[in-house]
Amino acid sequence: MSIRNTLLIGCLVAGSTFAFSEAASAQAYSFKIASTSYSQPLTQIESFIGGKKVETVRYTLGSVDRLHDGLLYSSYGDRVINLKNSKTTLKKVEDSPLRITKYKNAYYVLTISALNEFSLTKYTLDFKKIGQTKRFVGHGRDMIVTGDKLYVLANNMRTETNSVEIHTFDTKHFTSLHLEKIKPMIFAFHFRHTVNELKIYGNKTEAGEELSIASYDLKKQQGKIVLTSKQPVMWVNETKALSPTKDLVFNMYSMLEVDQKTKQVRVLYSSKQALIDYAYDSKTKMYHVLEGNYETSNYRVKTLNSHFKPVDDYKFQSIGRLMPFQVL
């Protein structure tokens, strides 16, 4: 056999091997979809590998829109399931929990208790109430517990114009330690703890829904807006660090890259459908994005590579009026 033919066969084999490994990798994509019913007590988590459903687990709890830290619950009800202990045992908490956070040997629960009012309650790890529920002014949006302090992000709607506020409490009795207004931000969706600061994501004005980011210094107890952009955002659900200076901002409209150093904001991914949730697979470095059209009940999970380019597309239609709310 000639050297030329040998090299040609070698290239074909190498190419076939590469193609096979790519195909095998594509088939190995795995994710889970959590869906809930708003008409009956039913929530299910479906597992998919290579686009094929391999398992379905059902829970007797409906209207669920929260699945964090192994807890399944609804911001419309007062029941929670600890997925790590049991899929059938329902525990009772204060009505309308927005965030349940485990810290040391207790659960801290942020709830909406009335119009423009949030409440804080502490529970044992078996959800037995500790002390009294305390209520405060403001529409609670998010909660972080760290360093024996509890921080609540709230939108106060009693002022002439909406104001964004950071509340600081102790974790023992929910004693108010500090209240900081983030001016001139008028609405906030989400905040994140990064070393010695809280990063707040919201809107600076009502018109245009432009992205606004503020920083709250935990030591100085001072907040200020550090970045504004013409890029619109709606319901910022999650953020994470892509690098020491760049953040990923996930919202209903798009996935954005925010460069804190250059103050530049660029779109990494967007869709004609609403972006509902995403999950990042650190092993494959892939992003699984749940998106959909609520009116037609058509949904899909787009798999994006590390450059946020679509590499796979799983389409599905909700069955039995189940609405997907999270991808895992």
Side-chain angles (χ1 to χ4, degrees):
M1 182 180 295
S2 67
I3 295 177
R4 180 178 179 275
N5 288 339
T6 302
L7 291 175
L8 180 59
I9 292 174
C11 289
L12 289 174
V13 171
S16 299
T17 302
F18 177 76
F20 176 78
S21 64
E22 286 290 293
S25 177
Q27 291 301 314
Y29 296 153
S30 63
F31 54 83
K32 297 180 180 181
I33 300 174
S35 305
T36 193
S37 171
Y38 286 89
S39 59
Q40 56 182 316
L42 173 62
T43 295
Q44 67 180 27
I45 299 178
E46 300 170 285
S47 300
F48 297 83
I49 298 178
K52 295 182 179 180
K53 184 164 59 176
V54 296
E55 184 184 34
T56 301
V57 181
R58 294 181 175 87
Y59 303 89
T60 55
L61 182 64
S63 303
V64 168
D65 55 354
R66 301 286 191 271
L67 204 174
H68 298 287
D69 302 325
L71 301 178
L72 188 73
Y73 55 101
S74 168
S75 62
Y76 304 97
D78 61 358
R79 293 293 187 272
V80 59
I81 294 177
N82 188 337
L83 303 185
K84 297 178 181 178
N85 293 340
S86 171
K87 73 173 188 177
T88 57
T89 303
L90 279 68
K91 298 293 185 178
K92 189 178 186 306
V93 294
E94 289 293 310
D95 195 38
S96 304
L98 285 177
R99 178 69 67 178
I100 302 177
T101 299
K102 181 181 177 182
Y103 180 71
K104 294 186 176 179
N105 294 317
Y107 282 117
Y108 295 84
V109 181
L110 166 68
T111 62
I112 294 298
S113 46
L115 182 64
N116 202 47
E117 179 184 272
F118 69 88
S119 65
L120 296 173
T121 311
K122 189 175 181 179
Y123 295 88
T124 66
L125 296 184
D126 195 36
F127 286 99
K128 293 180 180 179
K129 191 172 179 180
I130 302 173
Q132 298 296 316
T133 295
K134 290 196 175 181
R135 306 179 190 278
F136 306 90
V137 174
H139 181 86
R141 286 295 311 157
D142 210 348
M143 174 179 67
I144 293 173
V145 189
T146 181
D148 290 334
K149 291 182 180 179
L150 186 151
Y151 301 94
V152 173
L153 173 66
N155 297 309
N156 191 339
M157 301 176 185
R158 286 188 181 175
T159 55
E160 293 182 3
T161 57
N162 293 351
S163 63
V164 173
E165 300 176 346
I166 300 290
H167 295 257
T168 304
F169 304 95
D170 69 34
T171 54
K172 290 186 178 180
H173 307 291
F174 301 132
T175 302
S176 180
L177 303 177
H178 186 72
L179 173 61
E180 180 77 7
K181 292 187 177 183
I182 309 297
K183 299 179 179 180
M185 187 179 285
I186 66 164
F187 193 87
F189 302 104
H190 160 86
F191 67 165
R192 189 172 101 246
H193 178 221
T194 60
V195 192
N196 293 319
E197 69 171 346
L198 299 176
K199 287 184 178 180
I200 302 101
Y201 300 81
N203 300 136
K204 187 177 178 180
T205 62
E206 291 185 19
E209 302 172 342
E210 296 93 346
L211 170 66
S212 182
I213 302 176
S215 173
Y216 177 69
D217 190 306
L218 294 176
K219 292 183 177 180
K220 297 180 180 179
Q221 294 186 317
Q222 295 177 350
K224 62 179 180 180
I225 290 182
V226 295
L227 185 149
T228 55
S229 170
K230 293 183 179 180
Q231 189 66 46
V233 296
M234 176 56 63
W235 302 116
V236 175
N237 296 323
E238 189 174 346
T239 63
K240 81 182 192 80
L242 292 173
S243 73
T245 60
K246 295 179 181 180
D247 289 343
L248 172 66
V249 177
F250 181 88
N251 69 101
M252 186 181 293
Y253 296 152
S254 61
M255 298 176 78
L256 304 174
E257 178 192 80
V258 177
D259 193 318
Q260 302 285 356
K261 187 176 181 180
T262 64
K263 309 300 181 184
Q264 297 297 310
V265 178
R266 70 184 182 100
V267 178
L268 296 173
Y269 176 75
S270 63
S271 173
K272 293 181 180 179
Q273 296 181 308
L275 304 189
I276 301 170
D277 187 43
Y278 86 93
Y280 177 68
D281 189 334
S282 59
K283 293 181 179 179
T284 62
K285 297 183 179 179
M286 297 290 180
Y287 295 84
H288 301 293
V289 182
L290 173 63
E291 54 187 75
N293 186 316
Y294 293 107
E295 294 181 358
T296 62
S297 296
N298 289 317
Y299 303 94
R300 67 206 310 163
V301 173
K302 281 276 190 72
T303 297
L304 314 178
N305 62 20
S306 58
H307 301 289
F308 294 89
K309 302 298 182 183
V311 295
D312 205 357
D313 186 358
Y314 173 74
K315 300 177 183 178
F316 66 100
Q317 191 164 13
S318 61
I319 300 174
R321 296 183 180 179
L322 286 171
M323 182 178 291
F325 65 91
Q326 198 160 334
V327 61
L328 309 165

